[in-house]
Amino acid sequence: MREIFASLVFDRREMKQRLPQDVYENLIGAMEGRQKIDSGIADTVALAMKDWAVSNGASHWAHWFHPLHEHTAEKHTAFLTADAEGAPIELFRGKDLMQSEPDASSFPSGGTRSTFEARGYSAWDPTSPAFIIKSPKGGTLCIPSVFIAYDGSPLDLKTYLLRSLDAVESRALKLLKLFGNRGVRYVRATLGGEQEFFLLDRPRAQKRPDLRFCGRTLIGSKPPRDQKMEDHYFGTIPPKVLAYMEDVQRDLARLGVDLATRHNEAARCQFEFAPNFSEANLACDQNQIIMETMRKLASQHDLRLLFHEKPFDCLNGSGKHTNFSLEDSEGRNLLKPSTNHRKNVIFLSFLTSFVLGASEYSGLLQASVSTPGNLYRLGGQEAPPFIMSVYLGDTIDRMLTAVEKAAGRDEDMPEKSTLDLGLDKLPTIIAYDSDRNRTSPIAFTGNKFEFRAPGASQAMAIPATFIFAIWAAGLEKFNEKFSAHLKKGADVLDAALATIREVSKASRKIRFEGDSYSEEWRREAEKRGIVKAETIPEGIDLFLEPKSVEMLSKLGVFTPREMEAFHTIRLEAFVNSIEIEISLLRDMMFEGFLPSISKQLKLENESIASVKDMRIPHIDAWKKHIELLAKSKAEIIVKTKELELLKEKMAELEPREHAEAIIVKALPLMKKIRELCDEAEGYISKENLAYPKYRALMSLSTQLSE
Ligand code: ADP
Ligand code: MG
């Protein structure tokens, strides 16, 4: 792996080798966000990039970007063209590198742009390196880019993310400066996403239209040995899966992505990959690359890969735990506790700033994970609830409580001794203490926060944008208060402690150390007034909470109009996704499931007729059984038609009303149909059943019988 690592990335090593010194330095400056890219160097960089790409077999180049629908997009252009005399030349100019003009009309904009103003352009993002995606006969040089409409409004996720990263960086730098730290050149956000997924035997999974088109099962009863098979978690990875994982790891290594861990997850056929964390923008790009690579290789291994948050009703769902922190230009993690008093005060300042932001704007965190897939996942017994809270762990919680109580009066506030209580023992305590509470949506896990609510299929850029925006908002408030204390002439550490105390008190309501799955917590959260939304559409509406819109606009992350468009897109994504499920459920009923019942009825009726001259005890029970099956068929027909009609009616509604009707009317109907099917399934023979059962789907070995 070592030799191939990052061999398909135009990384700093390649740049250094292939670029003149001054060009290289300008580029690095731009990558670190210290300076703008000098347009005069674009031709030189483009030429070097092209030579490198062609020598690695690439025949095309493409601006690679993340439209608002969460997938990636690229439009390939060949390097090869003809010159004026008709002779072949390979062309890739500075202006091709800097900017490209894909037709924007088919990407979502949320109404910020009408289709006749379809023009949009993608522009090179030098902070994330270019890479080559290999194909059987060549490859494509992918240039990470932002994607913007001609009026400047973003049509992608990266632009918002970069704005949010800017916002948090400047506030973090300001805080460090207030502490008197002038040597720090930049602060960067770090991100590490743990990717959960399911792998199924492809031929069997492909027999189910629901898995093929929705990535989740719409019907299917629980297998006899369900997810509580503890032997699976961290158990031996099945050979077929391991072979796949090794291929994924090799291809990703070439793309400079190092996957640190791989293991079985809680449910059968569920697994996880976790990369080493990296700078947030790069981490989001890399998560997209991970998902694309995994998709591509799964079919080659005859596997069906599922990123859906809840592929099976009764089994654990898949999340993308999003770990995050901030790091300064010296490589210091700003969320790392320390035994040094000063450093520890800085640590607590960053920590409480995030908690403050989370407390004020928890609605945005909730909105960022209000996705169609999470509809079925959050609030289950295995995933965090839909109520946002922060868990800090015993040590930090005690420390903050001590700071809060240290003094009622400002003058005797800065109790070094109070803080020192736990400080000497801190590193060891932290190591034991962190991450014990797996029920919390946001947990401090020793030296980083972990947001556990994001779903496996989500583009990490969405939760990341809001995580860092609310952190920036928290830092902004912290800095204001801190500056005020300093102006009053307080010593730096005393001023910081006084600020930590205020901020910590102000954000208590979001902190919860107990079991977030419990009923008591729900009641307690209601009392605290932090239950913001009960359903996914209500969660999406939290994007429009006035104070959040104001904050995002002040920070320069979203204008109010952009936020409205973003809200519309999320809402449409929800509606479209459930609409597809409704159509498929309808089709699966009439094409497969209802005929299955008929076949079974025919079999039963024929066999009961064949014994009609025999005197069989309990024949009435058999007749009753047939009757029940026939009745369930009739009931499924009634409910499916009802759903069909509802779908037609809902199509006339505005998106928000449509989403509401889905929650109130469509989902209960779908649930009812599913219950009827799952019960009937138990009475249909394997031969007569149109779709493979959970039991068959859950088997990864071809030898195992269904
Ligand atoms: P667990 O399953 O216990 O949460 P893992 O080791 O599976 O732990 O995942 C931890 C994730 O957190 C990894 O992706 C890792 O790279 C990431 N991580 C660790 N430190 C940081 C940090 N400072 N900033 C962002 N992510 C981090
Ligand atoms: Mg984790």
Side-chain angles (χ1 to χ4, degrees):
M1 288 280 194
R2 229 189 132 113
E3 319 75 66
I4 59 165
F5 189 78
S7 57
L8 294 177
V9 183
F10 192 64
D11 59 8
R12 289 184 188 213
R13 279 177 310 175
E14 283 302 332
M15 291 175 197
K16 194 158 192 178
Q17 257 179 35
R18 291 175 180 269
L19 293 171
Q21 180 76 11
D22 54 330
V23 174
Y24 172 74
E25 271 160 23
N26 181 258
L27 195 53
I28 297 295
M31 286 169 71
E32 288 177 358
R34 283 183 280 116
Q35 63 193 93
K36 282 243 175 291
I37 199 114
D38 177 357
S39 59
I41 70 164
D43 278 329
T44 317
V45 179
L47 187 65
M49 229 188 234
K50 183 210 76 191
D51 287 346
W52 168 79
V54 171
S55 72
N56 278 290
S59 55
H60 289 69
W61 59 271
H63 277 212
W64 182 80
F65 54 94
H66 312 274
L68 294 161
H69 58 39
E70 296 195 66
H71 293 291
T72 57
E74 57 208 67
K75 180 177 146 197
H76 297 185
T77 308
F79 285 123
L80 196 65
T81 179
D83 68 10
E85 269 105 54
I89 47 159
E90 270 150 358
L91 200 65
F92 181 57
R93 296 152 301 187
K95 65 178 185 20
D96 299 327
L97 168 65
M98 300 292 276
Q99 193 165 319
S100 161
E101 247 182 87
D103 179 0
S105 56
S106 20
F107 295 111
S109 73
T112 53
R113 163 187 49 83
S114 16
T115 19
F116 59 84
E117 308 170 305
R119 291 196 310 164
Y121 65 92
S122 56
W124 177 34
D125 162 26
T127 61
S128 179
F131 55 91
I132 296 171
I133 292 292
K134 289 291 240 185
S135 48
K137 298 212 169 127
T140 305
L141 168 69
C142 294
I143 300 149
S145 304
V146 295
F147 183 42
I148 309 168
Y150 252 82
D151 64 0
S153 52
L155 294 170
D156 71 342
L157 299 175
K158 198 190 254 282
T159 309
Y160 293 122
L161 176 67
L162 290 174
R163 287 176 179 173
S164 159
L165 296 178
D166 260 0
V168 78
E169 174 176 16
S170 56
R171 272 95 190 155
L173 272 173
K174 168 96 191 281
L175 178 53
L176 289 173
K177 294 228 161 85
L178 289 176
F179 273 108
N181 190 339
R182 309 214 162 260
V184 176
R185 286 174 294 127
Y186 60 87
V187 169
R188 51 178 216 157
T190 54
L191 209 55
E194 301 163 48
Q195 182 67 56
E196 291 183 335
F197 54 96
F198 276 83
L199 283 172
L200 306 179
D201 174 66
R202 191 174 182 86
R204 281 185 212 139
Q206 293 302 82
K207 287 192 191 138
R208 297 207 39 148
D210 46 2
L211 282 177
R212 284 176 65 189
F213 299 107
C214 312
R216 72 179 286 261
T217 54
L218 298 171
I219 52 170
S221 68
K222 213 172 170 161
R225 296 171 68 194
D226 66 5
Q227 79 278 18
K228 297 287 176 290
M229 308 220 322
E230 268 93 20
D231 53 340
H232 185 69
Y233 192 55
F234 285 154
T236 317
I237 300 174
K240 191 171 167 147
V241 173
L242 195 60
Y244 164 73
M245 285 179 156
E246 278 166 355
D247 267 5
V248 169
Q249 271 172 306
R250 191 205 52 235
D251 274 16
L252 285 174
R254 290 200 175 107
L255 292 165
V257 183
D258 49 339
L259 292 178
T261 57
R262 60 183 189 207
H263 62 79
N264 287 2
E265 258 303 328
R268 213 166 150 71
C269 299
Q270 193 187 26
F271 307 90
E272 179 187 299
F273 269 138
N276 280 318
F277 70 89
S278 50
E279 184 277 322
N281 176 33
L282 181 62
C284 290
D285 281 356
Q286 290 195 338
N287 185 249
Q288 294 281 9
I289 296 175
I290 292 171
M291 290 168 81
E292 279 175 29
T293 306
M294 287 177 70
R295 280 193 198 102
K296 199 166 68 188
L297 289 174
S299 47
Q300 288 177 20
H301 283 255
D302 225 11
L303 289 166
R304 176 69 167 95
L305 171 71
L306 304 174
F307 283 128
H308 195 284
E309 282 70 12
K310 197 75 176 170
F312 302 97
D313 238 23
C314 54
L315 305 187
N316 271 21
S318 299
K320 178 142 48 202
H321 292 181
T322 301
N323 299 269
F324 60 96
S325 186
L326 291 171
E327 188 178 272
D328 71 12
S329 50
E330 310 302 308
R332 280 182 296 242
N333 178 354
L334 298 171
L335 283 182
K336 190 168 184 293
S338 163
T339 45
N340 171 293
H341 181 63
R342 180 173 180 276
K343 282 191 189 152
N344 221 38
V345 173
I346 299 180
F347 152 68
L348 284 177
S349 304
F350 278 98
L351 178 111
T352 49
S353 297
F354 174 73
V355 181
L356 179 69
S359 159
E360 301 262 309
Y361 306 105
S362 65
L364 285 176
L365 289 175
Q366 189 164 357
S368 77
V369 295
S370 294
T371 62
N374 262 342
L375 171 70
Y376 306 100
R377 170 178 167 257
L378 291 181
Q381 270 309 300
E382 80 296 331
F386 206 31
I387 307 165
M388 294 295 124
S389 68
V390 179
Y391 164 84
L392 294 177
D394 208 30
T395 313
I396 309 289
D397 187 58
R398 259 191 295 127
M399 200 186 292
L400 284 182
T401 309
V403 175
E404 282 169 33
K405 287 195 188 137
R409 296 155 301 159
D410 271 353
E411 53 270 31
D412 57 4
M413 169 56 209
E415 297 304 340
K416 258 198 197 172
S417 55
T418 319
L419 265 186
D420 283 343
L421 276 180
L423 283 189
D424 292 343
K425 298 180 223 112
L426 208 64
T428 32
I429 297 174
I430 295 281
Y432 287 116
D433 183 53
S434 68
D435 203 22
R436 283 296 150 252
N437 186 340
R438 298 216 135 247
T439 68
S440 180
I442 308 148
F444 180 68
T445 48
N447 58 2
K448 58 179 165 67
F449 276 106
E450 176 170 349
F451 187 21
R452 298 195 179 113
S457 74
Q458 278 195 263
M460 205 161 54
I462 296 183
T465 298
F466 296 98
I467 285 169
F468 291 112
I470 66 161
W471 202 348
L475 283 164
E476 173 90 14
K477 278 232 166 94
F478 192 101
N479 290 343
E480 264 170 37
K481 289 178 192 288
F482 191 11
S483 304
H485 284 294
L486 285 172
K487 270 203 192 106
K488 279 190 247 155
D491 158 75
V492 174
L493 292 187
D494 292 352
L497 276 170
T499 314
I500 291 169
R501 178 169 147 248
E502 284 169 31
V503 160
S504 183
K505 275 185 163 174
S507 52
R508 271 220 86 98
K509 67 167 191 234
I510 200 77
R511 274 161 60 192
F512 180 62
E513 298 293 308
D515 176 6
S516 309
Y517 294 173
S518 67
E519 228 355 87
E520 296 87 78
W521 167 234
R522 212 210 126 83
R523 281 196 295 272
E524 165 72 15
E526 261 164 33
K527 247 193 261 160
R528 293 190 192 181
I530 58 169
V531 180
K532 299 228 154 193
E534 303 280 357
T535 65
I536 296 291
E538 282 171 23
I540 297 172
D541 286 346
L542 293 175
F543 278 129
L544 297 182
E545 260 190 306
K547 67 171 179 180
S548 296
V549 175
E550 194 189 321
M551 176 274 277
L552 291 168
S553 147
K554 246 194 201 150
L555 291 180
V557 181
F558 282 84
T559 65
R561 181 165 162 265
E562 286 166 359
M563 192 74 259
E564 221 155 277
F566 197 76
H567 170 263
T568 307
I569 291 171
R570 305 318 309 157
L571 204 57
E572 282 171 357
F574 173 78
V575 168
N576 292 342
S577 159
I578 309 294
E579 284 275 276
I580 295 173
E581 291 189 0
I582 294 175
S583 304
L584 267 169
L585 184 61
R586 185 250 166 239
D587 289 355
M588 283 174 76
M589 290 304 104
F590 288 110
E591 285 169 15
F593 199 82
L594 289 166
S596 295
I597 300 184
S598 298
K599 275 194 207 160
Q600 188 67 23
L601 280 173
K602 186 161 178 264
L603 177 75
E604 302 288 351
N605 279 323
E606 278 169 10
S607 51
I608 207 166
S610 74
V611 298
K612 76 172 186 311
D613 297 332
M614 302 176 198
R615 293 167 61 89
I616 298 188
H618 308 306
I619 190 92
D620 284 350
W622 190 353
K623 281 187 189 152
K624 183 99 197 144
H625 171 74
I626 297 174
E627 208 177 292
L628 280 177
L629 202 56
K631 256 169 106 176
S632 70
K633 169 153 183 159
E635 212 174 336
I636 293 172
I637 293 174
V638 171
K639 296 288 169 200
T640 308
K641 295 231 154 157
E642 213 177 297
L643 185 67
E644 212 172 3
L645 206 69
L646 177 66
K647 183 171 176 272
E648 276 168 29
K649 276 204 191 136
M650 290 195 306
E652 289 155 20
L653 300 172
E654 289 296 306
R656 184 61 185 87
E657 289 170 339
H658 195 158
E660 197 58 30
I662 283 177
I663 297 289
V664 179
K665 297 192 179 140
L667 292 178
L669 250 178
M670 290 169 80
K671 187 160 173 261
K672 181 70 200 164
I673 294 172
R674 178 174 193 140
E675 279 164 13
L676 290 165
C677 291
D678 291 359
E679 206 193 328
E681 186 195 291
Y683 300 113
I684 303 174
S685 78
K686 209 171 74 184
E687 291 69 33
N688 285 341
L689 207 55
Y691 306 116
K693 292 182 175 227
Y694 272 20
R695 199 171 56 198
L697 292 170
M698 295 271 99
S699 158
L700 269 170
S701 155
T702 35
Q703 284 97 40
L704 276 184
S705 74
E706 293 177 0

